[in-house]
Amino acid sequence: DDPNERELLAGLLRMNGCVCATAADGAEAIRYLASNARPDVVLLDMLMPGCDGPTALRAIRSEPRLAGLRVFGVSGTAPRELGVPAGPGGVDGWFPKPLDPRTLWDAVQ
């Protein structure tokens, strides 16, 4: 949700050889996923204005073309507090803020 945090995270991934696209909110992320090649992984902030992470996650999981896409939640709030399930139909992993770059990179690989 924060532009500086979003671009710092993308920069970290780019420094490690990833090609990254960023979105300001869940609606923008959903539009990107609908009109671009399927990514290897999505990092999804849960507390965004407009279309939040849980809403975007449900949209991603309902799209057959995106079945099996790895989606990691990012938030300072615990997944159970947000009602975000883990596993099929939910997130594949969770990164609490502040992010640990090494843990994140290990999971993305």
Side-chain angles (χ1 to χ4, degrees):
D1 66 338
D2 180 271
N4 291 329
E5 288 181 23
R6 180 174 60 243
E7 294 309 317
L8 282 171
L9 181 56
L12 168 74
L13 294 170
R14 288 180 184 120
M15 285 179 8
N16 284 288
C18 294
V19 175
C20 298
T22 61
D25 63 22
E28 188 177 328
I30 292 165
R31 284 191 301 273
Y32 177 87
L33 291 169
S35 60
N36 289 277
R38 177 187 160 124
D40 294 321
V41 65
V42 170
L43 300 177
L44 187 59
D45 192 306
M46 291 292 133
L47 297 176
M48 296 179 285
C51 179
D52 64 12
T55 302
L57 178 64
R58 285 190 297 276
I60 291 168
R61 294 302 187 214
S62 71
E63 176 57 48
R65 185 179 76 79
L66 300 175
L69 177 62
R70 292 186 310 150
V71 178
F72 295 102
V74 178
S75 183
T77 305
R80 69 182 173 283
E81 292 178 43
L82 297 171
V84 176
V91 292
D92 296 290
W94 192 267
F95 298 103
K97 290 182 181 180
L99 287 173
D100 174 8
R102 172 54 51 199
T103 302
L104 173 70
W105 180 242
D106 289 345
V108 168
Q109 288 181 318

